[in-house]
């Protein structure tokens, strides 16, 4: 069998894909992990690189408490062990964005070990992904390759930014699973408020370890590491490309080489990184400038107290408390902002959780996505949306009219009540008035009335339509139905 | 005037018998006249010194002066000094004007001391003879054909030659005590963590410690008082009160138990040096102390363990010198690798390169356990030897060096024989203990140092024990003849 | 253990040090001698000994998460051999 002959489906039957992710989450600290320089994004180059970040002769690192708290928070949230004793080590290699010639990281004794996370699969099932470890380390600076007369420019503002590197077990079996896992971690770190999750700014990114093996084989194939993937889409595409590349390579008699590869988003392919060609010998050893990090029970307990309700628990509660489906509860708890938004809407309405869920997931998210916004920037806040839904619940307006009101609210025309008032959208619920309009409609359409009475039941809808048209949609639909039916039977 | 101790100078300044400007000028003149003989200074900071001296005089006049205000001193060129070249005696940092002050420099400046300049040293503090300096070797004031010891050789020679009343030094494997011994001055390496390492250019982070280099124990007490203390910028700095080091200087030594490790008096020790040490011990017995034979069985392993641990840490600490953000950069690098290799290859001297390579090797894949981990285990054993010994005795004494100062060039071709000249001092760094060297006599006109080792944070006790000896001897007052 | 010329060249590369060809034999000899000195440790039984990384028994102190540093780019970059537009310049980095 050769690669050329094998159709994609056939390959899938023969090969199993094995993926592990190393996610780098920048911790949402104000200052660097080992210095008092700001971590704010977007400053002019090197204006936030202090003496410690630059690795000037004689400087020394001192550990940021908040980074430790955040790492511990993550550990507790994934049911991991938060180490009572962890050790910082130096990873030695030369690179211009690494000022000291070593990165301070954790190696043999990380702060978090043995956690796990459950992801939902497309078939509706779920799967547990093991989290081997998560350790604290410092970020590197950035190399800018625009042309400085054939030179590279180095900006060290990012150097020393606190990072939590979250290492999974090689438990994922498809690019989709990898993305589901990454999304779940993304939601989690934002729930915990330990990372802003901004992937464009590089606050949340990952390296993917990918290998393939014949189905049924227990030994792993040779893996490649794809570096610096900073969007969910890139993760999926890069892994898919890499899987195909490896399978094709093996099937054409070649061998996968263990190497570091870079994903080229423009070309949609991965390529070998020249700078990492030589086998690295990082010469890890305990950093003598830092002492072992020791956390006692009281510290860990105090961190535990600050843990918010986590996504899975929130989802379960939404299902039991609000009677939502697993799907709806899943969507609404995908981010902490959305869940909070939804709960505020329900509280404002004072019930009707399903109606609220439909509105949040339907109109609201539809409009947010269409506008390409993030929830916090959305022009209609939860109280305002709740106010609108209340008017549906108390029959002031119909659901259909409510959609028009929502559009007006989105356009910044004001609160629901003000729009309803200004535009005269209040529902007509006066039976006598409705009856009068129905009489007029029946009188105006004698031919249709005759046909209906002759058995053409379908024309019921026609009469409803005419009534609604005559009231500009404001007549209460239930009342219209009821009175019309009486009249037609009469 | 150049024979006055710090206390005496302090009294003279406070009594307005002399101004700080006069005193500073006198030392600057002396450095100008005699400095070249020993080559003990890399940089003399004439203008800054006079500015500081004038400020000190104002403080004295305003009655706001402390005991060290207005007294000149010299800093080893390993301490960062804001606006002043801080070279570490390396071509790599020949152009490096430090943009900040080391904590030690800051503290001594805050105490009102006047910096005369920066002293010569072995490159990046790697050496035992001051012959690895980019600025040329320092000569021993007692015999210009001989080495002053290292790595704080410039500080030791400057104090011995009366070019400064006091100096700072650093000690990673004996770099304060060994030159203090060979130049006939008093040098103290405090407990690891007692003095901040912030701004002190790192050689081996888990071993480096700064300390005073003076003519007497009393002076060392005064200087250490201002140097020591917690620094939040150094994670390895210990948050523990600093005792009044002068308060206990006069305590009697009656009943003091002195441990004599038999390993420090074995066949490696020069016979004449041994005789001087014996005489010093007799003096202690006369002061009421009791000597007890003890054993530090793993002493012989201290040099091997040290020459794994120190190079390993240095190989990593010195990676930051890459020609990108500061320091030496080679001409017209072809590419990134060429920039790194030539900047480092040309910027570092041979001994520094040797140690970087030893450390790189010891940490590399496949050798880490056999070298680095093994050395850390040996370090534990050496530390345990001391713990056991201090259950029995108050202080440990022995020679600071196996012999008196050797000739310039005598050991430069044989690194191992050079390393073995630190055989009595290295274990103290591995264990993190305080150690001292005090002048105890002469062999053929060359000074011999007696080493005192104390338990953790026992600096006050060491200073007391040294001071009492200096009350009944005058070795520490001997000055080399001026050429 | 004795090193060979190749070993020294490999180590020098890992440490990013250029060594003149003429100096290599000297380094081979010196480094081999140093390793022989160091290998005296090999004979000691240390199976049950805990490695000692620090001379003091203490744990890491933590700093509050506060921004305490101000921009000193101009001052720091006066020390640099090559800068432009606030960036440190190095020969082109190829990824």
């Amino acid at each position: 069998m050769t690669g050329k002959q094998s159709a994609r489906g056939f390959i899938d039957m023969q090969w199993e894909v094995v993926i592990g992710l190393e996610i780098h989450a920048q911790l949402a600290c104000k200052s660097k992990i080992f210095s008092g320089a700001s971590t704010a994004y977007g400053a002019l180059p090197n204006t936030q690189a202090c003496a410690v970040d630059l690795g000037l002769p004689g400087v020394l690192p001192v550990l940021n408490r908040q980074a430790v708290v955040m790492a511990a928070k993550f550990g507790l949230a994934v049911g991991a062990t938060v180490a009572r004793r962890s050790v910082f080590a130096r990873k030695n290699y030369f690179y211009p964005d690494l000022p000291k010639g070593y990165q301070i990281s954790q190696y043999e004794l990380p702060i978090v070990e043995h956690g796990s996370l459950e992801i939902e699969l497309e078939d509706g099932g779920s799967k547990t992904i093991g989290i081997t470890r998560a350790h604290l380390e410092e970020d590197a600076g950035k190399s800018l390759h625009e042309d400085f007369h054939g030179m590279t420019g180095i900006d060290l503002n990012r150097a020393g930014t606190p990072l939590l590197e979250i290492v999974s077990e090689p438990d994922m079996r498809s690019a989709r699973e990898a993305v589901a896992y990454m999304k779940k971690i993304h939601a989690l770190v934002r729930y915990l408020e330990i990372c802003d999750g901004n992937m464009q700014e590089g606050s949340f990114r990952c390296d993917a370890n990918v290998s393939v093996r014949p189905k049924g084989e227990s030994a792993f194939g040779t893996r490649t590491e794809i570096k610096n993937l900073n969007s969910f889409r890139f993760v999926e595409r890069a892994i898919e490309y890499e899987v195909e590349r490896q399978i094709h390579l093996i099937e054409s008699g070649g061998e996968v080489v263990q190497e570091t590869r870079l994903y080229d988003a423009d070309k949609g392919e991965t390529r070998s990184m020249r700078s990492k060609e030589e086998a690295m010998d990082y010469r890890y050893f305990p950093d003598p400038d830092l002492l072992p990090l020791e956390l006692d029970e009281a510290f860990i307990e105090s961190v535990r107290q600050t843990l918010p309700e986590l996504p899975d628990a929130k989802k379960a509660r939404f299902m039991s408390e609000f009677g939502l489906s697993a799907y709806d509860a899943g969507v609404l708890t995908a981010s902490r902002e959305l869940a909070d938004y939804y709960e505020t809407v329900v509280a404002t309405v004072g019930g009707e959780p399903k109606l609220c869920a439909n509105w949040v997931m339907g109109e609201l998210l539809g409009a947010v996505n269409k506008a390409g916004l993030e929830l916090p920037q959305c022009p209609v806040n939860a109280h305002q949306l709740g106010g609108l839904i209340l008017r549906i619940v108390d029959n002031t307006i119909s659901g259909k009219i409510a959609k028009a009101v929502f559009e007006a609210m989105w356009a910044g025309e004001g609160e629901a009540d003000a729009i309803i008032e200004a535009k005269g959208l209040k529902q007509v619920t006066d039976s006598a008035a409705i009856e009068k309009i129905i009489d007029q409609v029946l009188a105006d359409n004698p031919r249709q009335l005759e046909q209906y009475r002759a058995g053409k039941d379908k024309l019921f809808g026609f009469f409803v339509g005419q009534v609604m048209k005559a009231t500009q949609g404001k007549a209460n639909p239930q009342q219209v139905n009821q009175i019309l039916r009486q009249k037609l039977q009469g | 005037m150049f024979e006055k101790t710090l206390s005496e100078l302090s009294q003279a300044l406070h009594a307005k018998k002399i101004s700080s400007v006069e005193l500073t000028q006198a030392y600057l003149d002396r450095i100008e006249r005699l400095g070249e003989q020993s080559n003990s200074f890399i940089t003399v900071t004439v203008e800054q010194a006079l500015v500081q001296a004038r400020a000190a005089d104002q403080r004295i006049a305003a009655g706001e002066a402390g005991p060290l205000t207005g007294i000149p001193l010299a800093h080893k060129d390993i301490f960062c000094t804001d606006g002043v070249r801080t070279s570490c005696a390396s071509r790599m940092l020949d152009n490096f004007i430090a943009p900040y002050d080391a904590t030690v420099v800051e503290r001594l400046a805050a105490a009102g001391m006047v910096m005369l300049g920066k002293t010569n040293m072995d490159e990046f503090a790697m050496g035992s003879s001051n012959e690895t300096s980019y600025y040329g070797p320092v000569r021993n004031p007692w015999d210009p054909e001989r080495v002053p010891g290292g790595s704080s050789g410039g500080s030791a020679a400057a104090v011995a030659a009366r070019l400064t009343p006091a100096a700072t030094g650093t000690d990673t494997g004996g770099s304060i005590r060994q030159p203090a011994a060979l130049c006939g001055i008093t040098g103290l390496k405090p407990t690891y963590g007692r003095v901040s390492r912030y701004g002190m250019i790192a050689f081996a982070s888990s071993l480096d410690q700064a300390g005073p280099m003076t003519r007497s124990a009393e002076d060392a007490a005064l200087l250490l008082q201002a140097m020591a203390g917690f620094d939040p910028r150094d994670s390895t700095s210990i948050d523990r009160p600093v005792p009044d080091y002068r308060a206990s200087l006069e305590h009697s030594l009656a009943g003091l138990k002195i441990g004599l490790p038999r390993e420090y008096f074995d066949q490696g020790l020069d016979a004449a040096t041994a005789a001087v040490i014996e005489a010093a011990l007799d003096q202690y017995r006369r002061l009421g102390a009791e000597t007890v034979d003890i054993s530090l069985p793993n002493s012989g392993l201290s040099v091997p363990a040290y020459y794994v641990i120190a190079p390993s840490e240095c190989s990593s600490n010195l990676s930051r010198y890459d020609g990108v953000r500061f320091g030496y950069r080679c001409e017209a690098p072809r590419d990134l690798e060429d920039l790194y290799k030539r900047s480092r290859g040309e910027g570092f001297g041979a001994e520094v390169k040797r140690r970087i390579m030893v450390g790189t090797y010891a940490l590399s894949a496949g050798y880490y356990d056999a070298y680095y981990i093994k050395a850390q285990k040996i370090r534990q054993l050496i530390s345990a030897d001391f713990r056991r010994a201090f259950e029995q005795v108050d202080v440990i004494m022995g020679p600071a060096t196996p012999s008196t100062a050797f000739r310039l060039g005598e050991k430069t071709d044989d690194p191992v024989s050079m390393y073995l000249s630190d055989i009595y001092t290295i274990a103290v760094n591995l264990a993190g203990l305080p150690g001292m060297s005090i002048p105890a006599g002469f062999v053929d006109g060359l000074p011999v140092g007696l080493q005192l080792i104390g338990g953790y944070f026992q600096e006050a006790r060491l200073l007391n024990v040294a001071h009492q000896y200096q009350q009944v001897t005058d070795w520490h007052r001997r000055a080399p003849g001026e050429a | 253990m004795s090193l060979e010329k190749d070993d020294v060249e490999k180590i020098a590369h890992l440490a990013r040090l250029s060594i003149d060809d003429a100096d290599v034999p000297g380094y081979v000899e010196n480094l081999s001698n140093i390793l022989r000195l160091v290998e005296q440790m090999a004979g000691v039984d240390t199976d049950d000994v805990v490695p000692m990384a620090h001379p003091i028994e203490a744990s890491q102190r933590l700093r509050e998460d506060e921004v305490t540093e101000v921009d000193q780019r101009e001052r720091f970059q006066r020390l640099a051999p090559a800068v432009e537009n606030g960036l440190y310049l190095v020969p082109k980095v190829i990824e």
Side-chain angles (χ1 to χ4, degrees), chain A residues 262-271:
Chain A
L262 200 65
Y263 179 65
D264 184 331
D266 296 331
K267 293 185 183 153
E269 59 186 40
T270 65
R271 62 177 161 83

Side-chain angles (χ1 to χ4, degrees), chain A residues 405-421:
Chain A
V405 176
F406 179 80
E407 275 175 31
M409 289 168 77
W410 188 270
E413 292 177 28
E415 302 285 314
D417 285 345
I419 293 167
I420 293 167
E421 187 63 41

Side-chain angles (χ1 to χ4, degrees), chain B residues 248 253 256-257 394-395 458-466:
Chain B
S248 49
L253 300 189
L256 180 82
K257 275 195 179 161
D394 301 311
V395 292
Q458 296 295 305
E459 288 81 4
R461 171 55 75 83
L462 289 184
L463 288 162
N464 160 231
V465 171

Side-chain angles (χ1 to χ4, degrees), chain B residues 82 97 99 192 230 234-235 238 308 323 325-326 329 341 344 354 357 361 371 374 376-377 380 415, chain C residues 1 11 13 15-16 18 27 30 38-39 41 44 46 49-50 52-53 56 60-61 75 79-80 82 89:
Chain B
D82 198 350
I97 311 295
Y192 184 84
F230 175 63
D234 174 2
S235 294
I238 302 294
V308 169
R325 297 164 317 287
F326 48 79
R329 182 179 201 148
K341 288 189 172 175
R344 292 166 59 75
R354 240 182 327 256
M357 286 197 274
Y361 183 74
Y371 289 94
K374 186 79 182 183
Q376 287 208 333
K377 289 180 165 191
Q380 188 75 270
Chain C
M1 146 157 209
I11 299 165
H13 172 68
R16 298 295 185 275
S18 63
Y27 280 108
N30 284 329
V38 157
E39 276 155 9
M41 298 188 301
V44 185
T46 53
V49 182
V50 180
M52 177 172 162
I56 41 169
Q60 179 60 34
R61 207 163 2 90
R75 189 168 161 70
L79 301 167
L89 294 190

Side-chain angles (χ1 to χ4, degrees), chain A residues 67 87 136 170 173 193 276 302 314 319 321 359 373 379 445 458 479:
Chain A
V87 169
L136 285 166
R173 293 292 172 269
E193 294 178 323
K276 309 257 174 174
S302 74
K314 205 181 270 283
M319 290 168 69
E321 189 178 327
W359 269 87
L373 295 177
N445 297 285
K458 278 185 191 161
Q479 282 173 291

Side-chain angles (χ1 to χ4, degrees), chain B residues 88-402:
Chain B
C88 245
S90 180
R91 182 185 191 190
M92 184 59 87
L93 291 178
D94 182 47
N95 62 0
F96 181 69
I97 311 295
Y100 72 102
D101 274 335
T103 298
V104 162
V105 171
E106 198 177 84
R107 280 171 171 269
L108 293 175
M113 294 198 87
V114 174
M115 180 173 86
L116 296 169
K118 310 289 295 286
T119 58
N120 205 343
M121 54 185 281
D122 279 298
E123 185 181 5
F124 281 100
M126 299 176 200
S128 308
S129 66
N130 221 307
E131 291 166 292
T132 70
S133 169
Y134 177 59
Y135 302 94
V138 174
R139 292 172 182 275
N140 193 316
W142 295 92
D143 177 353
E145 295 309 311
R146 291 177 186 268
V147 303
S151 68
S152 310
S155 287
V159 171
R162 274 62 176 163
L163 300 178
T164 179
T168 54
T170 63
D171 190 318
T172 305
S175 282
I176 287 176
R177 290 160 290 153
Q178 187 251 18
L182 301 192
C183 290
I185 67 160
T186 299
L188 167 62
K189 181 205 94 79
T191 306
Y192 184 84
R194 179 76 289 184
V195 175
S196 168
R197 293 189 298 114
Y198 191 81
M200 181 180 124
I201 297 176
F203 159 19
S205 310
S206 79
L207 301 161
D208 296 342
Q209 185 62 201
M213 301 183 76
T214 54
R215 292 210 305 274
S216 71
E218 188 184 5
D219 285 1
L222 261 168
L223 203 57
L224 181 63
Q225 198 75 47
M227 294 172 77
F230 175 63
D231 180 3
R233 289 176 296 187
D234 174 2
S235 294
T236 62
S237 165
I238 302 294
D239 192 358
R240 180 185 168 114
V242 178
D244 181 347
Y245 292 120
R246 271 188 302 169
S248 49
L249 288 177
E250 302 301 338
H251 288 184
S252 158
L253 300 189
L256 180 82
K257 275 195 179 161
I258 300 172
L260 305 177
R262 73 175 66 98
E263 295 80 8
Y264 285 31
F265 294 88
D266 63 7
Q267 65 275 27
L269 179 61
D270 165 71
T273 301
V276 169
I277 298 299
E278 280 303 337
L281 294 171
D282 278 340
Q283 187 61 257
Y284 272 106
R285 291 185 193 102
R286 284 195 291 279
L287 285 165
E290 176 193 339
T291 56
V292 183
D293 285 337
I294 59 166
S295 175
L296 300 170
N298 294 291
S299 296
L301 295 166
S302 60
V303 173
Y306 178 89
Y307 278 96
V308 169
I309 293 169
S312 294
E313 293 183 6
C314 108
S315 72
S316 177
N317 283 335
L318 269 62
S319 291
R320 69 191 59 199
Y321 305 102
D322 59 4
V324 176
R325 297 164 317 287
F326 48 79
Y328 179 79
R329 182 179 201 148
C330 66
E331 288 291 330
R334 282 190 310 278
D335 53 26
L336 188 63
E337 188 174 304
D338 189 45
L339 167 75
Y340 285 151
K341 288 189 172 175
R342 278 201 294 126
S343 297
R344 292 166 59 75
E346 295 163 14
F348 292 136
E351 179 61 18
V352 171
K353 280 187 273 200
R354 240 182 327 256
R355 296 204 195 185
I356 289 175
M357 286 197 274
V358 170
T360 301
Y361 183 74
L363 291 176
S364 64
Y367 300 99
Y368 180 76
D369 287 341
Y371 289 94
Y372 186 76
I373 293 293
K374 186 79 182 183
Q376 287 208 333
K377 289 180 165 191
I378 300 287
R379 185 176 190 175
Q380 188 75 270
L381 294 177
I382 288 166
S383 186
D385 283 355
F386 280 111
R387 271 198 299 277
R388 267 192 302 277
F390 282 115
E391 285 167 12
Q392 269 184 279
V393 301
D394 301 311
V395 292
I396 292 171
M397 287 191 194
T401 60

Side-chain angles (χ1 to χ4, degrees), chain A residues 43-65:
Chain A
L44 286 172
N46 292 307
T47 55
Q48 287 175 179
C50 72
V52 173
D53 307 327
L54 292 175
L56 289 187
V59 299
L60 295 170
V62 185
L63 182 58
N64 185 332
R65 172 188 303 277

Side-chain angles (χ1 to χ4, degrees), chain B residues 36-90:
Chain B
E36 272 180 25
Q37 289 179 5
S38 59
N39 191 29
S40 49
F41 278 84
I42 290 174
T43 303
V44 181
T45 49
V46 178
E47 282 162 37
Q48 289 100 323
L50 291 170
V51 168
Q52 282 184 319
R54 274 191 288 276
D57 281 332
Q58 283 168 12
R59 267 176 78 170
I60 293 167
E64 291 162 358
L68 293 170
T69 307
I71 298 176
L73 96 160
H75 285 300
K76 184 175 181 179
D77 207 18
I78 198 169
F79 293 99
C80 283
T81 42
D82 198 350
V84 175
R85 174 173 63 180
T86 301
S87 73
C88 245
S90 180

